[in-house]
Structures are given as structure tokens and as C-alpha cells.
């Protein structure tokens, strides 16, 4: 459970770093060009506002089930905010569509292979729905998802590239996280076995009646058992 809590802290920290870096750079370009898009300010404020209660809940929650629910809520919020940003900045042509890939990569930090795969599939479905809405011009009159300059084949090609990248990142990220967890668990088991073996060896040496001592290469005594202490004083 502590590992899951630590990974959730990492997810929140990486989210804040991504938002601050990418949206901050975009705001700088807007200021330089004299163009103002309120969506950037809203998303930055919303991200910080939602991260604060998440951090508080992360310190309060104690069960692994509650932490898992909090994880999926955070992933859902990230996808929602990213979808709003992508819809506001051109849909399939938005440069911020790469945030989907980053979110899937960060979500794959949770050491279960299916988490990365499920997150990737949900992201592909969400981005595909957004692309179809833009392709048919369903909400273009509201200032969101303006008609794309890409042709239909180009639109599907671009979506396919993003979908493939998201799927590969989800599968590889989840697999790598799971293998790292297994390696870490194996290392801990070996350390515990070595500790038990060392304690067993010390008990044997201290319990035998013969004097036993060890010395280094220079002849200095480094350890001895009680029988050796009694024998040599």
C-alpha cells in the first residue's frame, strides 16, 4: 500500500510538472503574440485546485481499495482536462494531443500490466469520440472543435498514429512496471533469506562449546564467540 501511495505522489508531481511546463510555455507564446485564450488559465487553475484535495486525501486514506479508487479518479480528471484542452486547440490537429500519451505513461507507473492497457484503451476511445465529433462538425458552432483542415484519410491516419503510440506506451509501460515490481519483490525475498541465514549462522557459532574466532588478512581478530572469550580471557 505504501508503494501505491508513493506512486500516486509521483503521478501528481509529474502531472503538475507537465501542466506547468507545457501550458506555461503556451501562455508565454500567447503573451508574445498578444492572443489570449481563457481555456489555458481555467485549466491551470483547475489542475492546481484539484491536486490540492487529492494530496490531502492521499495522506488520509489508509486502505488500498480507497487508494486505487483515488488513482482512477485522478486519471479520469487528467483525461477530462486534456480533452478540454485538445478540443479547444484544434482537436485532431492540436499539439496537446501528445498529453494523452504522457498520461498513459504516467498511469503505467502503477505496477499492474492491465492498468496501462486499460488506460490506453480508454484514452483511444475518448480521443476517437472527440475526432468523430470534430469530423462531423457537431459542436463547431460553439467555438470548440473547429472543422479540421485535414482530409478524412489524413484525419484517420493521424488518429491511427496517436492510437498506436498510446497503445504501445500503455502495454510497454505496464509490462515494465510489473517486471520492476517482481524484481523488487524477488530482491526483498533474497534479502530476507540472507538475513535469516546470517542469524542462523550466528546462533550456531554462539551456541557451540568450542572457541571460534575470525581474523582478517593482517591477523587482527574481528569476531569471536563466548567460548573463545572464556578460553583466551
Amino acid at each position: 500500500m505504501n508503494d501505491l501511495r508513493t506512486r500516486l505522489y509521483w503521478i501528481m508531481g509529474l502531472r503538475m510538472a507537465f501542466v506547468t511546463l507545457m501550458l506555461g510555455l503556451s501562455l508565454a507564446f500567447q503573451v508574445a503574440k498578444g492572443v489570449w485564450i481563457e481555456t489555458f488559465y481555467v485549466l491551470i487553475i483547475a489542475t492546481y485546485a484539484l491536486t490540492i484535495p487529492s494530496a490531502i486525501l492521499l495522506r488520509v486514506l489508509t486502505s488500498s481499495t480507497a487508494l486505487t479508487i483515488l488513482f482512477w479518479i485522478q486519471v479520469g480528471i487528467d483525461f477530462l482536462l486534456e480533452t478540454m484542452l485538445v478540443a479547444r486547440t484544434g482537436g485532431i490537429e492540436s499539439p496537446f494531443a501528445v498529453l494523452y500519451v504522457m498520461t498513459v505513461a504516467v498511469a503505467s507507473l502503477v505496477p499492474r500490466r492491465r492498468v496501462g492497457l486499460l488506460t490506453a484503451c480508454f484514452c483511444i476511445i475518448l480521443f476517437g469520440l472527440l475526432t468523430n465529433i470534430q469530423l462531423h462538425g457537431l459542436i463547431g458552432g460553439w467555438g470548440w472543435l473547429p472543422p479540421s483542415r485535414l482530409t478524412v484519410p489524413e484525419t484517420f491516419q493521424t488518429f491511427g498514429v496517436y492510437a498506436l503510440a498510446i497503445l504501445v506506451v500503455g502495454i510497454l509501460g505496464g509490462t515494465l512496471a510489473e517486471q520492476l515490481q517482481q524484481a523488487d519483490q524477488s530482491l526483498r525475498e533474497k534479502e530476507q533469506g540472507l538475513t535469516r541465514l546470517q542469524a542462523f549462522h550466528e546462533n550456531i557459532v554462539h551456541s557451540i562449546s568450542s572457541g571460534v574466532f575470525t581474523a582478517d588478512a593482517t591477523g587482527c581478530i574481528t569476531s569471536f564467540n563466548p567460548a573463545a572469550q572464556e578460553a583466551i580471557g
Side-chain angles (χ1 to χ4, degrees):
M1 186 176 65
N2 290 329
D3 290 341
L4 180 58
R5 191 188 305 274
T6 302
R7 293 176 188 275
L8 286 173
Y9 276 122
W10 271 100
I11 290 173
M12 286 192 294
L14 291 174
R15 177 206 298 165
M16 299 303 298
F18 286 149
V19 169
T20 302
L21 178 61
M22 298 196 68
L23 295 186
L25 289 175
S26 300
L27 287 175
F29 288 133
Q30 290 179 35
V31 172
K33 294 181 178 180
V35 179
W36 302 92
I37 300 179
E38 293 79 5
T39 307
F40 288 93
Y41 298 100
V42 173
L43 290 176
I44 290 177
I45 295 173
T47 302
Y48 281 95
L50 292 172
T51 301
I52 294 174
S54 297
I56 295 175
L57 285 174
L58 195 55
R59 296 177 63 88
V60 174
L61 297 177
T62 56
S63 66
S64 59
T65 302
L67 291 174
T68 303
I69 294 174
L70 178 62
F71 162 76
W72 285 112
I73 291 175
Q74 288 193 57
V75 172
I77 291 174
D78 288 343
F79 281 145
L80 177 61
L81 295 177
E82 289 165 3
T83 301
M84 292 176 59
L85 180 61
V86 171
R88 186 65 178 86
T89 56
I92 191 68
E93 299 180 69
S94 173
F96 294 102
V98 71
L99 287 175
Y100 285 128
V101 181
M102 294 181 179
T103 300
V104 172
V106 172
S108 298
L109 289 174
V110 176
R112 292 183 180 90
R113 185 179 304 181
R114 64 177 182 271
V115 171
L117 183 59
L118 288 175
T119 307
C121 291
F122 177 75
C123 181
I124 292 172
I125 293 173
L126 182 63
F127 192 41
L129 180 62
L130 193 69
T131 302
N132 277 278
I133 292 175
Q134 182 183 21
L135 194 61
H136 293 87
L138 298 180
I139 58 176
W142 301 350
W144 294 73
L145 286 176
S148 176
R149 295 171 296 178
L150 302 177
T151 62
V152 175
E154 290 174 340
T155 299
F156 282 106
Q157 181 183 8
T158 304
F159 171 75
V161 171
Y162 276 117
L164 180 61
I166 292 170
L167 187 62
V168 170
V169 168
I171 294 175
L172 293 182
T175 302
L176 179 61
E178 188 177 34
Q179 290 179 351
L180 288 175
Q181 184 193 33
Q182 292 175 355
D184 182 65
Q185 184 177 0
S186 177
L187 180 60
R188 291 182 181 180
E189 291 176 354
K190 290 180 179 179
E191 289 179 350
Q192 292 175 358
L194 181 61
T195 301
R196 290 193 295 266
L197 181 61
Q198 184 178 4
F200 179 69
H201 176 266
E202 290 178 354
N203 289 333
I204 292 177
V205 172
H206 280 76
S207 62
I208 60 178
S209 58
S210 301
V212 178
F213 65 90
T214 59
D216 57 16
T218 61
C220 295
I221 296 177
T222 57
S223 66
F224 50 86
N225 65 348
Q229 182 180 6
E230 294 177 359
I232 65 175

